Amino acid sequence: MGFLKRILRNNTTEETGSVFTPGSFEALSEEELQTHMGIHSYGAFDLTDAIRPSYDLQVVPKQGFRFDEYVDDSSQARTPVIMASVTRRLIMDLFLDLIDHLGPVVDVVLETSHHHHSHNQDLYREHIDMPVLKSILLDHEELLLNDGCTGVAVINPTRRQEVQLDEHKLMIVYGKPLEQFERTFIESDVYPDDKLKFITEAEHVHSSSEALFDQFNTLKNRLGMDTDDYSGCV
């Protein structure tokens, strides 16, 4: 799922010059940090517990979506992308509505940064029935919303379409056509905004816990991703 991060990082490098490290957070007092981490809303936008913006609010979280594209490094083929930022109460229902467009049988990927601090690792499961997948994801709603070290992507490889809820709790739709996904966003009061900036396009910080790490391993096992356990996220 790294190609989507390159889209965001490339935009940031070209337009804002932002740095993707928690440098300024290190200068905060414990009280300042706890106060910032305790802010759950910016206007009408409610955050999950997974991530917080920079202390100086280089990007203020806001609901909406924008169009972008992924350019393949080798072939230079261009694929359209929708990226969206959604308030907490809408995330799970909207994600489940979006993945319904992918068909009755899909592949699923869990993205984890619990162990790898320099890069994420993807765990892949092929051919799962959509109703079964949706039931499992609903059972792990707390993890998917609040763990800043967990992301999930649902893929129809035949159609070359993907819907992702990444570790920043952004929703990203990859492939074409995108019209039905666009309609689903708008029906949920998530509207296009060409000037929208995402929390990833500036300094930000992720949150996790040992309890969420345990939930991640449970989800991994329920999806049949039999791998060795990982060390906890710090």
Side-chain angles (χ1 to χ4, degrees), residues 22 42 45 63 66 71 148 175-176 192 199-200 217 221:
Y42 290 91
F45 189 93
Q63 181 158 289
R66 79 177 194 221
V71 182
K176 57 184 178 182
I199 200 169
T200 49
N217 278 323
N221 292 333

Short mmCIF file of all heavy atoms in Angstrom, two decimals, residues 22 42 45 63 66 71 148 175-176 192 199-200 217 221:
data_model
loop_
_atom_site.label_atom_id
_atom_site.label_comp_id
_atom_site.label_asym_id
_atom_site.label_seq_id
_atom_site.Cartn_x
_atom_site.Cartn_y
_atom_site.Cartn_z
N PRO A 22 8.32 13.43 14.21
CA PRO A 22 7.70 14.11 15.34
C PRO A 22 8.65 15.05 16.05
O PRO A 22 8.65 15.17 17.26
CB PRO A 22 7.30 12.93 16.24
CG PRO A 22 8.33 11.89 15.98
CD PRO A 22 8.67 12.04 14.50
N TYR A 42 -11.87 19.21 16.06
CA TYR A 42 -11.55 20.50 15.47
C TYR A 42 -12.78 20.95 14.70
O TYR A 42 -13.08 20.43 13.63
CB TYR A 42 -10.33 20.41 14.57
CG TYR A 42 -9.05 20.18 15.36
CD1 TYR A 42 -8.59 18.89 15.62
CD2 TYR A 42 -8.34 21.26 15.87
CE1 TYR A 42 -7.44 18.68 16.36
CE2 TYR A 42 -7.18 21.06 16.62
CZ TYR A 42 -6.74 19.77 16.86
OH TYR A 42 -5.61 19.57 17.61
N PHE A 45 -15.25 18.34 13.07
CA PHE A 45 -14.50 17.13 12.72
C PHE A 45 -13.99 16.45 13.99
O PHE A 45 -13.24 17.06 14.75
CB PHE A 45 -13.32 17.47 11.81
CG PHE A 45 -12.63 16.28 11.22
CD1 PHE A 45 -12.99 15.78 9.98
CD2 PHE A 45 -11.62 15.62 11.93
CE1 PHE A 45 -12.37 14.67 9.44
CE2 PHE A 45 -10.99 14.52 11.40
CZ PHE A 45 -11.36 14.03 10.15
N GLN A 63 -13.30 17.45 7.00
CA GLN A 63 -13.95 16.41 6.21
C GLN A 63 -14.02 16.81 4.74
O GLN A 63 -14.27 17.96 4.39
CB GLN A 63 -15.35 16.14 6.74
CG GLN A 63 -16.09 15.04 5.99
CD GLN A 63 -17.20 14.43 6.81
OE1 GLN A 63 -16.94 13.72 7.77
NE2 GLN A 63 -18.44 14.71 6.44
N ARG A 66 -10.68 14.56 -2.22
CA ARG A 66 -10.11 15.15 -3.41
C ARG A 66 -9.63 14.04 -4.34
O ARG A 66 -9.36 12.92 -3.92
CB ARG A 66 -8.97 16.11 -3.07
CG ARG A 66 -7.66 15.44 -2.74
CD ARG A 66 -6.55 16.46 -2.47
NE ARG A 66 -5.26 15.79 -2.49
CZ ARG A 66 -4.28 16.05 -1.62
NH1 ARG A 66 -4.45 16.93 -0.66
NH2 ARG A 66 -3.14 15.39 -1.72
N VAL A 71 0.99 7.32 -10.30
CA VAL A 71 1.80 7.13 -11.50
C VAL A 71 2.79 6.01 -11.25
O VAL A 71 3.64 6.10 -10.36
CB VAL A 71 2.54 8.42 -11.89
CG1 VAL A 71 3.32 8.20 -13.18
CG2 VAL A 71 1.55 9.58 -12.05
N GLY A 148 -3.08 3.65 15.55
CA GLY A 148 -2.28 4.35 14.56
C GLY A 148 -1.20 3.51 13.93
O GLY A 148 -0.38 4.03 13.16
N GLY A 175 -8.26 3.03 -8.50
CA GLY A 175 -8.76 2.29 -9.67
C GLY A 175 -9.87 3.04 -10.37
O GLY A 175 -10.25 4.14 -9.97
N LYS A 176 -10.40 2.44 -11.42
CA LYS A 176 -11.48 3.08 -12.15
C LYS A 176 -12.44 2.02 -12.65
O LYS A 176 -12.05 0.86 -12.82
CB LYS A 176 -10.92 3.92 -13.31
CG LYS A 176 -10.05 3.18 -14.31
CD LYS A 176 -9.50 4.17 -15.33
CE LYS A 176 -8.60 3.44 -16.32
NZ LYS A 176 -8.00 4.36 -17.31
N PRO A 192 -16.43 16.89 -2.38
CA PRO A 192 -15.13 17.17 -3.00
C PRO A 192 -14.60 18.54 -2.61
O PRO A 192 -15.35 19.51 -2.48
CB PRO A 192 -15.44 17.10 -4.51
CG PRO A 192 -16.91 17.32 -4.61
CD PRO A 192 -17.52 16.78 -3.37
N ILE A 199 -3.93 15.22 7.09
CA ILE A 199 -3.09 15.24 8.27
C ILE A 199 -1.69 14.69 7.99
O ILE A 199 -0.71 15.05 8.65
CB ILE A 199 -3.79 14.45 9.41
CG1 ILE A 199 -3.23 14.85 10.77
CG2 ILE A 199 -3.70 12.94 9.17
CD1 ILE A 199 -4.07 14.31 11.92
N THR A 200 -1.58 13.84 6.98
CA THR A 200 -0.29 13.26 6.60
C THR A 200 0.61 14.24 5.87
O THR A 200 1.80 13.96 5.69
CB THR A 200 -0.52 12.04 5.68
OG1 THR A 200 -1.43 12.43 4.66
CG2 THR A 200 -1.10 10.88 6.45
N ASN A 217 -3.41 -8.75 16.57
CA ASN A 217 -3.08 -10.16 16.39
C ASN A 217 -4.33 -11.03 16.30
O ASN A 217 -4.37 -12.00 15.55
CB ASN A 217 -2.17 -10.63 17.53
CG ASN A 217 -0.72 -10.26 17.31
OD1 ASN A 217 -0.22 -10.29 16.19
ND2 ASN A 217 -0.04 -9.90 18.37
N ASN A 221 -5.35 -13.24 13.00
CA ASN A 221 -5.64 -14.68 13.07
C ASN A 221 -7.02 -14.99 12.51
O ASN A 221 -7.21 -16.01 11.83
CB ASN A 221 -5.51 -15.16 14.50
CG ASN A 221 -4.07 -15.13 15.00
OD1 ASN A 221 -3.14 -15.23 14.21
ND2 ASN A 221 -3.88 -14.98 16.30
#
